[in-house]
Amino acid sequence: MAEDIRTRFKTSQEYKEMKEERDPFRKRIFFLGVLTSKLKESGVNTILVGGEAIDLYTAGNFSTSDIDLVVDNKSITEKLLNKFGFGKQGNGLWFNSDLNIVVQVID
């Protein structure tokens, strides 16, 4: 079941656009919009913190290597990341090698 969802995501127009985006900042922001939208549909509240919050505030003038998200349901968030092709690396870090995006989930 999760593999079917992962396959659907990897063949979606959104995923294709993310992979084609060369600017890392724009790619992370696009992904963040998709992720938080899906989390909201699942009733999960999120807050962007850390370097990515500063990166967004400065319109890409502060470089960071990961997206730090505070969530009120870590389980749903991690399941969704898995469906989006992310693998858990440890310490709450999730990595998608196709997109070269790292997400840290904080609860």
Side-chain angles (χ1 to χ4, degrees):
M1 175 78 155
E3 193 62 38
D4 291 339
I5 294 169
R6 184 179 294 171
T7 300
R8 282 196 306 262
F9 178 69
K10 284 190 169 192
T11 58
S12 71
Q13 184 62 30
E14 292 169 331
Y15 193 79
K16 181 180 177 185
E17 289 176 28
M18 279 184 247
K19 280 191 72 162
E20 291 175 354
E21 179 58 59
R22 294 202 183 278
D23 182 84
F25 171 72
R26 291 177 54 101
K27 183 183 289 191
R28 286 192 311 273
I29 294 305
F30 186 21
F31 171 75
L32 189 57
V34 172
L35 177 64
T36 56
S37 175
K38 298 294 182 186
L39 287 170
K40 185 177 181 180
E41 289 174 12
S42 298
V44 178
N45 295 308
T46 60
I47 300 172
L48 179 65
V49 297
E52 188 65 35
I54 296 168
D55 202 9
L56 180 60
Y57 180 78
T58 62
N61 290 317
F62 177 87
S63 183
T64 187
S65 61
D66 69 339
I67 297 170
D68 303 305
L69 279 181
V70 176
V71 299
D72 64 0
N73 192 319
K74 192 172 185 175
S75 176
I76 290 175
T77 304
E78 290 182 341
K79 286 178 186 173
L80 186 58
L81 285 169
N82 183 263
K83 290 175 185 176
F84 283 178
F86 283 73
K88 191 169 188 174
Q89 304 296 305
N91 293 336
L93 294 176
W94 289 77
F95 180 63
N96 181 308
S97 59
D98 288 342
L99 299 175
N100 197 29
I101 293 177
V102 178
V103 177
Q104 182 169 21
V105 179
I106 306 162
D107 61 348

